[in-house]
Amino acid sequence: MGSISANQHAEFDVIIVGAGLSGINAAYRVQTELPDYTYTILESRNAIGGTWDLFRYPGIRSDSDLYTFGFPWRPWTETKAIADGTSIRNYIRECAEKFGIDRKIQFSNKLQASNWSTSEQRWELSVKQGNEGARSRKLKARFVILSTGYYDYNQPLETKIPNLGAFKGQTIHPQFWPEELDYSNKKIIIIGSGATAITLFPNLAEKAASVTMLQRSPSYVLALPTVDPTGNMIRKVFPEWLSSRLIRWKFLVLPFLIFSFCRSFPNAAKKIMQRQMKQSLPADVPIDPHFNPSYNPWEQRLCICPDGDFFDALQKQNTNIVTDTIQTVTESGIITASGQELDADIIVTATGLKMMFAGGAKLTVDKKPVALNEKLLWKNTMIQDVPNAAVVVGYTNASWTLGSDTAALLMCRILKRMRRLNLTSAAPTLGSTFTSPHTNGHTKGDPEGKTEINGQLQTIDPQWHGMKTVSLLNLSSTYLEKAKGAIPKAGDRGPWRPRSNYFVDAWGAVFGNITRGLRFEGGEELKGR
Ligand SMILES: Cc1cc2nc3c(=O)[nH]c(=O)nc-3n(C[C@H](O)[C@H](O)[C@H](O)COP(=O)(O)OP(=O)(O)OC[C@H]3O[C@@H](n4cnc5c(N)ncnc54)[C@H](O)[C@@H]3O)c2cc1C
Ligand SMILES: *[C@@H]1O[C@H](CO)[C@@H](O)[C@H](O)[C@H]1NC(C)=O
Ligand SMILES: *[C@@H]1O[C@H](CO)[C@@H](O)[C@H](O)[C@H]1NC(C)=O
Ligand SMILES: *[C@@H]1O[C@H](CO)[C@@H](O)[C@H](O)[C@H]1NC(C)=O
Ligand SMILES: *[C@@H]1O[C@H](CO)[C@@H](O)[C@H](O)[C@H]1NC(C)=O
Ligand SMILES: *[C@@H]1O[C@H](CO)[C@@H](O)[C@H](O)[C@H]1NC(C)=O
């Protein structure tokens, strides 16, 4: 893994923040679409892979199939659709190495703050170098792409577990799993019912004395085959280049159909899901309450279990599922509200991630802080009133990468347009997108409201009057609910709408309108066109 010397360039055309799936993908798009542009990647950690390097708990794997979760420009060719963490980490690293992206990464460089200067038409980034934070330096860039993921790398979601401090055993959050931990013959309680708990449960049960999954609210768990049988058939019949495309298409269309079915016929979907689960459950584990969620399938993320490993584990003697709230934690375990006493040597708090945008970096425009929660996202990518910046947000109900790639493609298209017309900045705005020094004034007392551009008030464009905000990610999971105050929103029309589906978004990224709602500066436009 290479690393470029820290001060090789102080200024870049593009700075990408984060070397996870989205950052590597954005880098590939930038270097392919704009080969003459200089770019670098800042990565606060010391490794490629983001999520897939950080998480090390037993059994860590994807929920998504890798045919769509992998990069479109480097198809996943293994027969296993669902892959373990190590395979995904290696895949991301190999892809980066193959295209020389690894040499563009500056490791242990954390973006702390980024200031857009209107007079310079540049970002100035404050970057903390080294793990102990001894040094800080400045970099300049015309564009920043924030592919920093969606959660806090240093802190898990805070949850109130009553009296947890009293526990004399070990408490572990999956985000910080100690790899050397020996849990053989230990009694383990997993608190939670999300994807992480569902993954941990069968894997811990292999060695532990006992594993209890303690959930407050149940989830839908769907068993899927790891090796897709039709995929193998397609591979036998068609040449490699075609089969990888066909398999990808299958995995693009099928989840979309399942999702659409769940949303259109929630009652039928619920019945089918529960019938499936019932067939795999041991007789002493009833659907109600353990697998009877209060919501319909796909109102929250579905949990996947490969080859039904979760259900197989439930058949074992050393496993148990409890649906109850916690009364209190004791020195040696947990007492539930209904009075059950659960013994434990280890408590695993699989209670979720703390959502975070822009990697915690402080964004300012001419020194004025950007309040992300008051901003809309333009085409789910650019932040309202913030020039030349993209945030990479993927899908929550399809492979994340599909969404990060539409964002990267869209951004490259905007960059190319700007290069062609010699424009220096592009910022989403609710104000008028027509710019000339003469019209950049403000109207006082406009009943339909105003918006601020470069420190000046401007009337909101009539086409956006009465815009309602909606949540960016259409899922009602707990951690999304908790984070609502800290993330940008989507609007109810035009380019401000939240993501719909990949087919619409991919088309929009390549052919959609990239001027509506965007305000450009510099070049031809300033000459008063
Ligand atoms: C356990 C787990 C399983 C998941 N499984 C799936 C799945 O199956 N399918 C799916 O679609 N999604 C899944 N997700 C969501 C997953 O995070 C994304 O799909 C994907 O890995 C995100 O890639 P990313 O590059 O956008 O973000 P990340 O992988 O989070 O990478 C962000 C990178 O940015 C760096 N960074 C952050 N802030 C800064 C900063 N200020 N300065 C410099 N660098 C910074 C981080 O160190 C990190 O390397 C899963 C998430 C988790 C936690
Ligand atoms: C931010 O930009 C403004 C000018 O637009 C400049 O005056 C200020 O010094 C910059 N601040 C930092 C911390 O870089
Ligand atoms: C994801 O959700 C959106 C809206 O909530 C929907 O339009 C889209 O089809 C879904 N995508 C998939 C792949 O299920
Ligand atoms: C592009 O704009 C810059 C200033 O914004 C100017 O110096 C340069 O000459 C312009 N180039 C072309 C080709 O118009
Ligand atoms: C998600 O979208 C559906 C309709 O598409 C809507 O009824 C629902 O309220 C939305 N949920 C959230 C959490 O935004
Ligand atoms: C994009 O939208 C703007 C404003 O709605 C319009 O003026 C422009 O013609 C559109 N561009 C294209 C290529 O359709």
Side-chain angles (χ1 to χ4, degrees), residues 422 424 522-524 527:
N422 200 18
T424 55
E524 304 280 319
K527 289 176 198 139

Side-chain angles (χ1 to χ4, degrees), residues 201 281-282 285 291 309-316 319-321:
F201 186 78
L281 286 172
V285 179
F291 296 93
D309 65 352
F310 175 79
F311 297 109
D312 290 347
L314 271 174
Q315 306 275 358
K316 290 186 177 174
T319 61
N320 187 17
I321 181 167

Side-chain angles (χ1 to χ4, degrees), residues 5 10 49 57 71 149 176 236-237 290 338 378 423 483 508 516:
S5 93
Y57 58 75
F71 302 116
F176 309 101
K236 277 197 195 112
V237 179
H290 303 306
S338 69
W378 181 88
L423 305 172
R516 191 176 175 212

Side-chain angles (χ1 to χ4, degrees), residues 1 14 21 43 82-83 92 103 134 138 143 164 171 199 204 214 238 279 291 300-301 349 354 362 405 410 423 430 522:
M1 214 185 286
V14 183
L21 265 172
E43 169 53 58
I82 294 173
I92 300 174
R103 295 195 298 273
K138 305 270 193 220
F143 301 91
L164 185 60
T171 307
T199 305
L204 295 180
L214 174 55
F238 298 102
Q279 281 170 1
F291 296 93
Q300 297 187 12
R301 216 180 162 125
T349 53
K354 183 176 168 195
K362 198 179 133 199
D405 195 39
L410 178 69
L423 305 172
L430 292 179

